[in-house]
Every structure is written in structure tokens, then in C-alpha cells.
Amino acid sequence: MIKCILLSEFHHTQGPKISHQVPQEHVSKEMFDAIQQYIITKPELQNRIITLTSFGCKFVGCPVCIDNSKYQRNAFIFNICFVFNEGSSSTPYCSVVKKLASYLTQLEDEHAFLSNPENTEKVSQFLKQVHTDLNTEGYCSINMGTSCIVHLKRAAVTRGPITVQDHDVPVLIKPRDVVMKHQWDLTTQQILHYVDGVSHVLKIAAEADVELNLVKADLQNLLYYKLLALVPIFQYSNVYTVTRDINTFMEDERLQLECIDFVAKSERALPDYVDIFSLYCSFTHGTTVKDICTRQMNPHIMKVNERKLVLFGVMKGLIRRVHKFPIALKPSAVSSKLQPIVRFLDGKHNFDQICALTGLSHHELDERCEADESIVVCCK
Amino acid sequence: MSFNSKTIRTHQTRIIHFCPSDMVTAMLSDLDPVAVILVSSGTKGNRLLFRYPYFQEPHSNHKSSKVAIKNPYAIKIAENFQDLKKGKSITTFIKDGSLTGFADKTLANFLVAKSELCGKKFSVKIDDVRFVGFPMSLTQLSKETNLQNSLNSRLQNILAINVVFALRANIAESVTNCYQELAQQIAVAIAHEEKRCLYLSKEAKIMMAAFEEASVTGDEDTVSPLKQIIHNSNLAKELMSVFDNLVKSGQVLFFLNQWVEINFCLLHKIHANVPGGVLLETFYRFLTYVRPYHAILLTKPEQELLSSLPLDGCPSLSRLIKLTTPVKNLKILALETDLSITQIYQLVCHLVYWGFAILIYPMCQANQYVLSPSADTAVDSKLSQEFHTSFPELHLVVEMSRFSYPSRMHECFDVEPIANTALMDKVNQVVVWMLRHRILNQLHTYVNLLPSSKKEFSTNPNMCHSTISSTHSSSSSVQVVEESYLSILMEDPTTSNLDRATSMSDVASVNSEESGGQSTTQYTSQLSKSPSHEANSDCSMLPEDSKLQWRMQDNLLNELKPGVKAAILRCPAAKNFEDLSLFAKLVPYFNGKHHLEEIMFYENLTRSQLVTLLEKFKDVLILSSHEALATTLI
């Protein structure tokens, strides 16, 4: 929430001063005098985004200097500052401030928008609109004469893109029709067709006949828009373990209902949440999905689809995958059967990764590792 | 709309791969400060007195390095004339973890705050570097002091100072707040020492002299005066050690000018090996999870820890450190150290905060340990080398693989506990080492009271839904089942309209009435009809008592939903009065939030007692086993 927009300039006789403020009187003269060295800065810091925290406010500004002999001191120095409360985050606005500063530079260059005293009313009108639009809509587009439209948009803070690996399985977390409604490019449309919550990335690439890295880039893009989630590939040899968050399942009735609907084998015979809970609790270290399915009280009897059960649990964090890491203690001592893949046995690659990289099946790899005594397997 | 950029994005084939382990290390070093700077303003203008670390900047026209930060989401514009025209690219002030691109004069000018900002927190962010500090005005001090005029004139040389840490701008706000506190501690200490013995004036003289000497020779060399300052000035040495300690361990503990204590620890760095990292706010909440059954495990050898404590430290803390072992819980420690348990909590929280100890459940044979998901299994990891120095004949990965599946301490080592005591010791040491490095997590068993509703209402499929969605209104049939069951049980005319809120006194009065009017033989005949007959027939307890007990426990179970209560009573073991009353006592723990060890501790039970009870009531209980929150996170 922008508290105030402050436009200050270096006056040729009065020095640094506030020229406009929207709303009025948010920043007092005394406050400004105390911090003006960070607003009208020395030349070294010009064109930088400067954030100052003081007086319980955050000032985000970008000092700009336009050199031109038409000005009194051969230069016009101004700074457009957004003022926030101390606690609020100003990061989404940093780029907005910079962009607005460059728009104002352009407007000043072309029409002397800021330096001409006749424009006072126009400038304050403009700032008022920027202030209200950014606060209410998060963006604004203001027409400033024939050649310039001021487009500003608050940027969402994002983390770096999530790595998509060959063996990850993308799952849509929004209904398919909602996802398809957006106008995706052709590649994405083609890939989306094969995203079924079962196929892994490598398989999708092969089925859709799209280059692997393109698939990954597309999936990263969909992940960015929070339409996808990545889960480990489902296999009956997988081991999962219940997490602390299982307690939320006991307490959250909406989660229970959602889960019952999701994991049911058929819509007509819904499973009981107590059964689902006990199934989740039966996921422990060393118990494979196959073990659970062959027990007396198996998911089948409880009207539960085990594949969906695992998917739901992983996506909601009720259970987590336990990965197996085969590690060769002495690479030279490894048997000839495993020699071709010995470089993956360094403790940094898990079974899924090795299988995806080498094309071995989980079962084959497991057998070979079991047979070789120089290999230890860590599960975590 | 941002969706328009899709076509451009898809053709960008470069994939950025972040290796998870790399990301963790990158984040860790991000917490380190980039530089520490001391500036002053005096009668001769603003001066930079000292900065550390320093390195020779390459002589070039470009002031700041041209390493542009790439936004992976940025739209690639093939021909971007606008940027070319300006001839400016995005530059960064931080290169290879050190501050670059700022001239000393620039730093001095903008880090010296106006007097209005003195005595307040100072935070300025310029592009990708954030300066946090604490400006102090010394003019105030000089007025207060009763020093001689001659001294006063010397004091006037320095009007204000600012101790500043340069940080990466992207680090969390709670981290910057910590640095701000440290800057404040140092600035206040310097001001105090200035007032006491003109410490800063003396040190500043040395620093300024070094800079002036360098400027006389006219070199562009900015490094040599700083080298000389470190050599000559005590304050510079102190600031340097602050910086080095922050980078090394995140802990700063020293006496400025051998007088004012500075103590600081960067929580985020110390507890960085906690899975998922730690936030200041949540950390304080975790500290409230400390319970008397926990134990502490020191992260450093006892002697090293004791010697690192200040001389005037709390004697009870050193007593605690001396007495603590991984097998003693805090309650025992409280008895042995002769301190109250609240005091022990405070000391433990203190040790945990400083990263000197981690919280564990006391080590014992029954503990189940499993490999932590955050453990680094890489064969050549740094931890593995560290392990090798401690246990030269063992390999960390092999030891880790023993805990691939949850196992008790000695189970996985194939050691007969009595046979080989030397080997046992070794095993214990290995487990302690692994716990200390958070490679192992302890699994606890949690109990949930959750009777399957399916068995009761299998005839009526709609019932499943009603029990899920609504609890109290879970239909009249449950009510009926239960009432009828109870009325058989009680064989009492009052049960037909049994008041659930019957108080103890009511029950007692009813009982006394009955016992007065009716004979005991009648009672036994009544009881013979009840299902509790088998249990009570050979019990020495008086029938009146048992009846009273039945009612009491009925009251106990009344806290539960009727359906759950009925299911509990349906268990075969419910017929045994002792089992049922114990069960009723433990019901509050059966919500998935209390592990067996906690129940054992608070209810004074042995493991076998508890496990037998759980086995008897297994129809209504679901056990889950996972890590405890407190011991995994702090």
C-alpha cells in the first residue's frame, strides 16, 4: 500500500525541496530536511533505487539528473519517491519507481513536464492518479499526450524457477478447463494434453514429440502461474512416510471431504475418512506401496484408489517420499554390471534420477545394488 | 497482460538448473555481511575511518562491476535500443561477496546521518546492497561530561559516528534487524568508551593519520592505509574480528576496549542446519515447546564451551553444562543442579539460542532413529570428512545407511549390549555425533483415538457422511445404542433419563441412598447381568465402589462424542475396569499430538504398560510415527 507519492527536486536557489506530494502533508518539511541527502543525492548514486527506512516510513526513490544547458544550473535533478509504512514490503514497487522515473525523464525531456511551473496542476493530477490506481488496481495506464502512455504494474515477488527434472510428474492443480481457457502457445497446448498426473516429464516429451528442454521450460512457466505441482513418479516400489502435518487431516474437515472425493475408487461408494487416515498412517519408512496394497486391510477393500491416495498425500504434505540413494564407497570396487553407472553412485543421485538417466528399471537397479557388497543404500 | 509473453518464453530454451544443495549453501553465505564500515563526521567534514574487508580494486573506468543480475522471467527483447542508447546496464555493488564500486568519500557522505537521524536505526538500500547501522551523535555526550575544556576542544573533532554493516539487499528483514542490533551495540559501546576515556578520539587519530599519509604520497592505493590502520588501531582490529567472526560462526562475543561487552549471535546462521531454516518469530515459539522430559546435547566439547563463557557468567549455567549428559532429562538436571525447572528452561533456551546445545529426547535403548531427510548423503561431503577425523576407521555413509530404516540404537549395529562394552561406547559416540549434526531424527509414536465408524453403521451407508460432517448431532440412533447399552450396564432406574452433567456429589448421594435401602445380594445379582461381571467377579472391590467408579468413568468418557464412546466400550478390554479407567485417563493424549514418551512421563507409566494398553484398545486407535516438532527444529 503506497502511503504517499513524493516528488522532490533540486531548486536552483532553495536547494532540495518537496515539489509535489500526494496526499498532502504526509511528509513534513523537517522530515524531508533530515533525509534529503538520500533523496537528492550526490551524482554517484543517481539512477539507483534507494530505499531509506526512517521515521517509521520507507522511502523508495530513484534520483535522476538531466543535464541540459537550458536549466539554471545546467542540470535538473528530481526524485520520485514512494512512501510506505515501515512494516510493509516495498520490493514489488522498486521496479515501478524506476520505471516511473524514466517516464518522467522522458516527459521532462519532451515537454518540460516537471520543470515548467505552468504544469503544477497537471503533475499533481498525474501523481494522484498513479497513487490511487496502483493502490486499488495494482497497475495503471495513463495517457500523457500523443507519444507517451504511462504503464505501471506492481510486480509480484517471485523466487527463482523451480527445477523440473526428467522423472518429475506434473499434476494440474486447477481444473483442466480452467487451465485450457488461457491462450497458451501451441507447444504448451500440446504438452498440456499429456499432463495427466501419471506421466513423467521424459514420457510427456516423447509422447508429445516436443524437445525435452522445451517441455521443461513450459512446465516451469505453468509452475510459475501455480497451475501445476510436481510430484515424484508413482511406483509400487516407492516408499513414503507420514509427516507431522498428518494432524491437520484430523482437524481440517474440509480437507477430509476433499480427500474423500479425490481418493475414492468410485463416486458411488465413498471411503471412510478413518480408513484413509489409517492408510496414511501405515506409510512408514521401509513400507512400500506394494506392501500396503497386499495387506489384509488394503486400499482396495477400503474403496480407495492407492494411486490417488499417494498423490493427494504428497500434494498436501501429509506424506513424503523417502528416496533411496545408492552410494559406492570405492568406485573401483564396484562390480562390472554397475560400472557404467558408477558416476551416479556418489550419494547425490537417488534411484529415480538414476533410473531416468540410465533407463534402468527400479527393480533392476535395486537387484544390482543388492548384489554388490561395496554399495550401501541410504534412504531419507 | 502477462500471458502475451508466452510465445517468447517458450522459445527460450535455456533452463536454469538449481541444485538443491547448492541453493542451501548459497543462501547461507548470503547471510554474511559484505562489509563493516566506520564513518564519522567532524569539524573537518565527513570521514571514512575504517572499512573491512578491503581489496585492491582493478583500475578501470567503470566504477561498478558489470555483472548484470539476470531475471529468469525477464522478457528477452531482441533489439533493445532503449538500453543501448543510455549506455547503462544493470550493475551490482556486490562482487564475489565484497563491496565494490563505492569510493570512500561517497560512503562517508551518505553513511553519516544528519543529527535528526542519530540515535535511531539507520537503513538505506541502494540497488542490491543494504546498509544498516546506528548513527550516534557525540555532541550530546560532550555536553554531559564534566571533562575539562581542553579535552572538550579535542572532543569537538568528532561530532557523530555511524557503525554500518553492508548486507545483501535480498536477505530477510529479520536478519537485517539482527545486524542492526549488533551495529547499535557497537555504536553505543564506542560512544560510551569515548565518554569514559576518549577511546574513539585516540583511535580516530591513528586512522586519519594513516589516510593522510597515504594522500601525501599521492597514490591511488586505497588498501595500504587500511592495512596500516589494522596494524596500529585497536578499534580496527576489533571491527575486523567482528566481521571475521560473523562470517565464520555468526557469533560475536568480546569486550570492546576490554571494557564493554558486545555479545551477539546471528540466529539464522547458527541454526542454518535446521531443516527448512529458521525464522526469528517461529524460533521463539519453538522455545516454548521445551518440556521436562527433554534432554540437551551440547554441540561443542564441554571444556571448549566452558572456556568460551564470559568470566562473570552465570554460575548455574556452567553447573548445568558440567552436569548435562544426553541421557538426563531436564527434570533430573533440575534436581541435580538444584535449580528450579523454570530456571533450567531459561538456561536451556539460552544455550539453544546460542547454538551451544540442541534439544533431544534423552538417549535410551528404546529410541528409534532414522536418517533425516536433510542429511547430506554425498560420499565426499564436508561432513563426511569431519566424521572421518573423529572416527578414522569408520565411514559416515556406512553409518548413515544403518539408519535408512527406523532402528533402535544398537539394533542396527549387530552388537550384543553385554558382550562388547568398548564397541557399545563407540556406537553411542557415533549416534551422538550424528544427532549433533542433525543427521538423525528420532521417530515418535503418536496415538489417535479414531474408531472406524464403518463397522457400526455398515448397514446404513448414509451414516458415514453424517459422522464426518456433523459430530454432536450424529443422529439419534447412536444416542439410542449408547443409552440402551448403559442402561443394561447400570441396571439403574435413574439411567433411563441419565443426566450427563450429573455431578459427583449427585452420584454419591444416589449411591448412599441405595446402599442404605438395598441389600448387597441384590447388587451382585444385578451386576451378574452386566457385562462387567467377568471383570468384577474376582475383583476384591466392593460393589458400591465399583458402581461408583463405573459412573465416574462414564462421566470421564462423557467428554467424548457418543459414537466414539460406544466404540471404546465395545472393545473387549473395556470390560476390564482397570484398563478402561486407565484408558479414560489417557484419552486426552490421544489426539495425535502427544507421543508415547510424553504420555509415559506425565502419567508415570512404563513403556510396557502403555504399549499393552494400546494393544488392548487397538480397534479404536490409530498409531502414526513421525518426528517430534520440538526436537527436530531446535
Side-chain angles (χ1 to χ4, degrees), chain B residues 488-587:
Chain B
I488 296 167
L489 195 72
M490 307 307 287
E491 281 292 317
D492 196 317
T494 50
T495 40
S496 54
N497 51 0
L498 183 73
D499 185 11
R500 233 156 266 263
T502 323
S503 70
M504 288 287 292
S505 59
D506 285 342
V507 177
S509 67
V510 169
N511 262 308
S512 61
E513 252 172 51
E514 286 172 342
S515 61
Q518 291 167 320
S519 69
T520 25
T521 45
Q522 258 181 312
Y523 259 103
T524 33
S525 67
Q526 279 176 347
L527 274 168
S528 65
K529 288 178 206 163
S530 79
S532 62
H533 174 67
E534 297 92 345
N536 285 341
S537 55
D538 53 2
C539 188
S540 61
M541 219 178 288
L542 283 172
E544 287 95 335
D545 283 345
S546 73
K547 193 161 185 181
L548 178 68
Q549 298 272 16
W550 270 109
R551 285 198 184 232
M552 278 163 63
Q553 124 213 347
D554 184 49
N555 277 345
L556 273 171
L557 289 174
N558 268 345
E559 301 287 317
L560 300 167
K561 298 166 195 168
V564 177
K565 186 174 158 183
I568 294 169
L569 292 174
R570 213 174 292 120
C571 289
K575 296 191 179 81
N576 184 331
F577 167 68
E578 276 175 40
D579 285 345
L580 189 60
S581 65
L582 181 59
F583 186 83
K585 196 166 105 184
L586 299 184
V587 158

Side-chain angles (χ1 to χ4, degrees), chain B residues 71-84:
Chain B
N71 179 357
Y73 294 116
I75 301 169
K76 296 269 156 65
I77 301 166
E79 295 172 345
N80 195 346
F81 293 117
Q82 208 170 2
D83 276 359
L84 285 175

Side-chain angles (χ1 to χ4, degrees), chain A residues 2 82 96 130-139 152 154:
Chain A
I2 305 167
F82 286 7
V96 178
V130 171
H131 180 241
T132 46
D133 280 5
L134 278 180
N135 272 348
T136 50
E137 309 284 340
Y139 64 90
L152 296 172
R154 185 179 58 206

Side-chain angles (χ1 to χ4, degrees), chain B residues 192-215:
Chain B
H192 176 269
E193 285 303 283
E194 171 69 11
K195 186 178 162 189
R196 191 176 68 91
C197 59
L198 298 175
Y199 181 54
L200 180 67
S201 302
K202 283 179 213 153
E203 297 296 321
K205 219 176 198 174
I206 300 171
M207 294 170 181
M208 286 189 216
F211 278 115
E212 265 156 35
E213 203 176 299
S215 67

Side-chain angles (χ1 to χ4, degrees), chain A residues 208-238:
Chain A
D209 197 19
V210 178
E211 208 261 323
L212 182 64
N213 282 333
L214 273 182
V215 176
K216 286 183 176 175
D218 256 356
L219 292 175
Q220 271 182 340
N221 191 36
L222 291 167
L223 279 169
Y224 173 81
Y225 288 110
K226 297 200 169 61
L227 301 170
L228 271 191
L230 291 181
V231 295
I233 190 166
F234 179 84
Q235 282 173 312
Y236 282 93
S237 56
N238 281 2

Side-chain angles (χ1 to χ4, degrees), chain A residues 323-327 376-380, chain B residues 371 377 397 400-401 404:
Chain A
H323 285 288
K324 279 170 104 175
F325 291 79
I327 304 155
V376 291
V377 178
C378 287
C379 305
K380 61 172 189 181
Chain B
L371 203 56
T377 46
V397 179
M400 274 159 75
S401 71
S404 281

